[in-house]
C-alpha cells in the first residue's frame, strides 16, 4: 500500500502555536518537515469555515512534497514543536490543553494533487481528556513524550494513496 504522507496536514487552532515537524515510520525518524505540507508559520487556524482547516495554510496542494510509501498496519508517529527545532523546551506550551486526533482520506488519484476537501475524512485516532481530577489531556501526554503521538494505520486499509491529517485542538 502507498500512503501519501506528503499531504500530511496540521490543524492546530484556537490559539495553539506549534506545528507538526517530524514523521516517524515504525520508529524511524524521517527528518524535519519531510512528507509534510508545511504551513508558513505556527499561527493557529481560527476560522472554522476556512479551507485551511483541512490541510493548514497553503496546504491544499502537495506539489513539491515527497510521498512516503508504507504498509497497512504501520506505526506512524507525529512529532510537534513550538519552534523550528528540538530545543528541549515543552514541545507544546503547557497552557495549550486539548485533544489529539488523526484522520485519513483516500485520494481519488495522485495524492499530491488531492486537496482533501469534502466529506472524505475518517477518524482513525482520538484522545482527549484522560482524567478530570487532576486534569490530564492528550496534549499533556504529547508533551511528556517529547512532542510525539502515534497511530497504527488500519491493517484492513486497501492499497492506494492517502492523506493523513493529524490535529491538536487547543481549548
Amino acid at each position: 500500500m502507498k500512503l501519501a504522507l506528503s499531504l500530511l496536514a496540521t490543524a492546530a487552532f484556537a490559539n495553539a502555536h506549534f506545528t507538526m515537524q517530524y514523521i516517524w515510520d515504525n520508529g524511524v525518524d524521517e527528518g524535519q518537515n519531510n512528507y509534510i505540507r508545511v504551513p508558513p508559520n505556527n499561527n493557529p487556524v481560527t476560522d472554522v469555515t476556512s479551507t485551511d482547516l483541512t490541510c493548514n495554510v497553503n496546504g491544499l496542494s502537495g506539489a513539491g512534497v515527497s510521498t512516503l510509501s508504507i504498509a497497512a498496519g504501520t506505526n506512524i508517529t507525529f512529532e510537534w514543536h513550538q519552534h523550528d527545532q528540538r530545543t528541549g523546551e515543552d514541545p507544546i506550551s503547557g497552557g495549550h490543553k486539548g485533544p489529539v486526533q488523526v484522520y485519513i482520506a483516500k485520494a481519488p488519484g495522485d495524492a499530491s494533487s488531492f486537496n482533501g476537501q469534502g466529506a472524505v475524512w475518517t477518524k482513525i485516532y482520538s484522545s482527549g481528556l484522560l482524567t478530570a481530577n487532576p486534569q490530564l489531556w492528550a496534549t499533556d501526554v504529547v508533551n511528556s513524550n517529547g512532542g510525539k503521538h502515534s497511530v497504527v494505520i488500519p491493517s484492513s486499509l486497501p492499497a492506494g494513496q492517502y492523506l493523513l491529517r493529524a490535529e491538536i485542538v487547543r481549548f
Side-chain angles (χ1 to χ4, degrees):
M1 169 187 357
K2 183 175 186 179
L3 293 183
L5 299 185
S6 64
L7 307 182
L8 278 168
T10 61
F13 57 117
N15 296 321
H17 295 280
F18 47 87
T19 59
M20 182 186 16
Q21 297 180 17
Y22 299 88
I23 301 295
W24 295 69
D25 175 4
N26 278 329
V28 175
D29 181 349
E30 295 293 341
Q32 187 177 28
N33 294 329
N34 291 329
Y35 313 110
I36 300 171
R37 288 185 179 180
V38 180
N41 56 51
N42 70 351
N43 291 335
V45 176
T46 57
D47 179 356
V48 297
T49 64
S50 170
T51 57
D52 290 341
L53 274 179
T54 303
C55 294
N56 213 320
V57 178
N58 299 332
L60 295 181
S61 169
V65 180
S66 298
T67 60
L68 178 64
S69 293
I70 63 170
T74 296
N75 184 319
I76 295 294
T77 301
F78 304 97
E79 184 176 341
W80 305 78
H81 291 282
Q82 297 179 57
H83 302 105
D84 191 26
Q85 57 201 345
R86 292 171 171 158
T87 62
E89 68 182 332
D90 281 347
I92 301 170
S93 171
H96 290 23
K97 307 286 186 183
V100 175
Q101 302 174 122
V102 179
Y103 300 85
I104 194 165
K106 186 167 183 9
D110 182 356
S112 67
S113 61
F114 182 37
N115 67 12
Q117 296 296 295
V120 298
W121 296 97
T122 300
K123 189 184 297 184
I124 60 171
Y125 175 88
S126 182
S127 183
L129 181 62
L130 303 171
T131 61
N133 191 13
Q135 202 171 71
L136 179 69
W137 282 92
T139 49
D140 295 315
V141 175
V142 171
N143 262 341
S144 68
N145 289 333
K148 299 178 190 108
H149 68 91
S150 299
V151 61
V152 174
I153 303 303
S155 60
S156 60
L157 207 61
Q161 293 196 20
Y162 292 80
L163 305 183
L164 287 175
R165 184 178 84 206
E167 72 179 22
I168 296 178
V169 180
R170 189 257 180 176
F171 295 121

